[in-house]
Amino acid sequence: MTTPGRVAVSPTKLDTWQDCRYRYRLQYLEKRRVDGSWAHLSMGNAIHAALRDWFDVDEEGRTPAAAADLVRGNWTALGFRDDAQSTGWRENAAAMVERYCTRYGSAAPYSRERTLGAIAEHVTISGRIDRLDEHGDELVVIDYKTGRRVPSDDDARVSRALAIYALITARSLRRPAFEVRLHHVPSGVVASHRHTAESLARHLSRVDAIGRDIAAAQESGQDTQFPPSPGPLCGWCDFRDACPASGIVPAQPRWAGLPAADPTD
Ligand code: SF4
C-alpha cells in the first residue's frame, strides 16, 4: 500500500534498511528471488500457524495436544540438515506449543495474524500482528517469539516492531493500544511493556525519519546510496551469492539458528 510521496515500510523492512542497504536494494527494490529457507524459520512458521489456528478449533477439541498436532500438520523440513533433525525438532516444537497452550490456553484473542496499517508524513506503515487481546477498552499487542533468546521486559520496551504494532492497531481499529508483550513460546516467559502516547510518538517520529532517508536514497537512483554493510549478519544473509562483500564472513549452516539443544544429538 504505497501512497505517492510516501515510502511503504514494515518492521522487517526498516530493520533490513538499517542492517544493510545493499541487501535492502536486492530484496525490496530488485525483488531478487530467495532459494531455500532456514530451519529456525520453518520451525517458527509452524509454531505461529499452530497458535493461529488453534483458537479456531471448537472448544471441546481445543486441547494442548491438538495444538501439538497443528505444529506437526504445519511442519516443513526446509532448512534442516536431514530428516532426523527435522523430525526431532518437529516433536520438540510440538511439545513446546503443548506446554505453552497448557499454561496460556484460556486466552480469547481479539484477532490473530492481522495485517494493519497507518500513514505518517513520509511513510505508510504496515505490519502483521501475531495476536491482539482485549483488556477492557484497550487492545494488547502480542508477538510470539520462538528463538533461542529469552526476551526481557526491556526487549519489549525497546522493540520498534511492537511499538509499530501498537501504533497501527490504535490508528486502524480506533482503540487504545499501549500494552505490548513478547510471548516466548519455548520457555513460556512473557516480557511486557506499557507504552505512553509520548513513547509511541517518539517511535513514530524515528520511523518517519528513516522513511525520509529511504525515499531520498530511492529517488536518487544512485547505487552508492545502497552500500554493502559486511558484518556478522552476512553469515545469515539470503543474498550472499549476489553480494560482492559476502566472503568476509562464512555462511552459517541453514540449521544454525535453531535453539542450542538439538533433540537429535
Ligand atoms: S552478504 Fe552482508 S553485505 Fe552482502 S547483502 Fe548480505 S548482509 Fe549485506
Side-chain angles (χ1 to χ4, degrees):
M1 71 177 184
T2 308
T3 301
R6 296 186 175 95
V7 63
V9 297
S10 65
T12 309
K13 206 168 169 185
L14 291 165
D15 288 346
T16 304
W17 169 259
Q18 293 197 304
D19 289 341
C20 178
R21 294 185 184 192
Y22 195 81
R23 177 177 172 154
Y24 179 95
R25 188 180 107 192
L26 296 172
Q27 187 167 349
Y28 294 110
L29 302 184
E30 298 184 11
K31 300 186 190 308
R32 298 276 185 109
R33 219 175 117 235
V34 174
D35 291 324
S37 185
W38 298 84
H40 65 282
L41 294 184
S42 295
M43 183 173 85
N45 290 341
I47 291 174
H48 277 74
L51 292 174
R52 177 196 63 210
D53 296 345
W54 188 64
F55 290 101
D56 286 330
V57 177
D58 63 68
E59 211 169 320
E60 205 175 311
R62 201 187 311 145
T63 61
D69 281 342
L70 285 169
V71 172
R72 297 183 184 102
N74 282 291
W75 195 259
T76 66
L78 283 175
F80 288 92
R81 185 183 54 215
D82 50 34
D83 284 350
Q85 190 191 43
S86 169
T87 304
W89 276 105
R90 186 192 68 204
E91 291 310 306
N92 205 28
M96 276 179 212
V97 169
E98 190 166 343
R99 276 197 308 273
Y100 174 86
C101 288
T102 300
R103 192 162 171 187
Y104 298 111
S106 61
Y110 174 80
S111 69
R112 284 156 285 140
E113 291 205 356
R114 186 159 184 174
T115 299
L116 297 173
I119 293 174
E121 190 178 350
H122 299 286
V123 290
T124 59
I125 314 168
S126 65
R128 192 170 62 170
I129 304 169
D130 287 343
R131 192 170 111 194
L132 291 172
D133 281 2
E134 237 173 349
H135 283 208
D137 290 344
E138 291 197 16
L139 292 173
V140 176
V141 170
I142 291 170
D143 197 40
Y144 296 125
K145 304 309 267 186
T146 59
R148 66 177 77 187
R149 207 170 80 76
V150 179
S152 65
D153 288 349
D154 208 44
D155 292 319
R157 181 180 67 80
V158 301
S159 166
R160 177 166 60 202
L162 286 177
I164 286 175
Y165 296 153
L167 280 161
I168 61 180
T169 295
R171 292 204 179 187
S172 300
L173 303 177
R174 301 183 189 284
R175 298 271 301 267
F178 296 105
E179 183 83 14
V180 294
R181 294 180 186 163
L182 296 169
H183 281 211
H184 186 245
V185 178
S187 65
V189 166
V190 173
S192 62
H193 177 68
R194 185 167 180 81
H195 277 290
T196 62
E198 292 73 26
S199 67
L200 290 175
R202 281 195 297 276
H203 273 284
L204 181 59
S205 165
R206 286 195 286 267
V207 167
D208 213 33
I210 298 168
R212 197 176 52 219
D213 291 346
I214 295 173
Q218 289 181 182
E219 283 162 20
S220 78
Q222 295 173 354
D223 289 353
T224 52
Q225 294 291 315
F226 300 90
S229 299
L233 288 177
C234 297
W236 306 89
C237 181
D238 285 323
F239 301 94
R240 292 178 60 87
D241 290 349
C243 175
S246 62
I248 291 170
V249 175
Q252 293 281 352
R254 288 272 163 183
W255 53 89
L258 291 166
D262 184 336
T264 64
D265 286 345

